[in-house]
Amino acid sequence: MDFRELEERVVAFREARGWAKYHTPKNLAISAAVELGELLEHFQWESDGEILEAVSDPGKKEAIADEIADVVIYLTLLAHELGIDLDEALERKLRKNGEKYPAEKIEE
């Protein structure tokens, strides 16, 4: 699924429930931040090793995946409301990052 298809599906889901009136850019940005906070709760006080071990539990992995999905959904709706094409924005940003951080100049 590309971002355009994701956007269509998320917007259709929202429209079927009459939630568009709540989905202002400000509310969507706040909601994305709230969901990101919920994602971070899964990592709070854990080492990287503990986190990687925890996701071997399918339930824990699904809970984290759900929070990541919530963040992506809200950001997709925010981009929709602002008229931002995510496929285009990501391609442009990756290109900018490639110019700013050329692989051949990175030292290990």
Side-chain angles (χ1 to χ4, degrees):
M1 177 182 342
D2 63 16
F3 279 108
R4 192 159 290 126
E5 181 184 349
L6 174 63
E7 179 182 348
E8 289 171 5
R9 290 182 63 188
V10 169
V11 169
F13 182 91
R14 172 186 79 177
E15 297 303 320
R17 288 152 181 81
W19 294 345
K21 61 188 171 194
Y22 306 112
H23 288 176
T24 64
K26 177 188 73 120
N27 287 346
L28 291 167
I30 290 168
S31 295
V34 168
E35 293 298 338
L36 189 55
E38 291 178 12
L39 173 62
L40 289 171
E41 286 179 338
H42 290 279
F43 304 116
Q44 187 176 22
W45 317 121
E46 304 287 339
S47 69
D48 289 341
E50 290 168 325
I51 292 164
L52 292 172
E53 185 180 322
V55 295
S56 65
D57 171 4
K60 180 74 168 174
K61 187 172 187 173
E62 182 176 344
I64 291 171
D66 284 351
E67 296 304 341
I68 292 171
D70 285 340
V71 172
V72 171
I73 288 168
Y74 278 121
L75 291 178
T76 300
L77 286 167
L78 178 58
H80 173 79
E81 292 304 310
L82 298 176
I84 294 170
D85 180 315
L86 282 174
D87 290 310
E88 204 175 276
L90 288 167
E91 286 295 329
R92 185 177 52 252
K93 184 61 178 174
L94 286 171
R95 192 171 46 255
K96 286 180 182 180
N97 284 350
E99 292 167 4
K100 188 174 181 180
Y101 308 106
E104 61 274 0
K105 294 196 176 187
I106 303 299
E107 295 180 27
E108 293 193 33

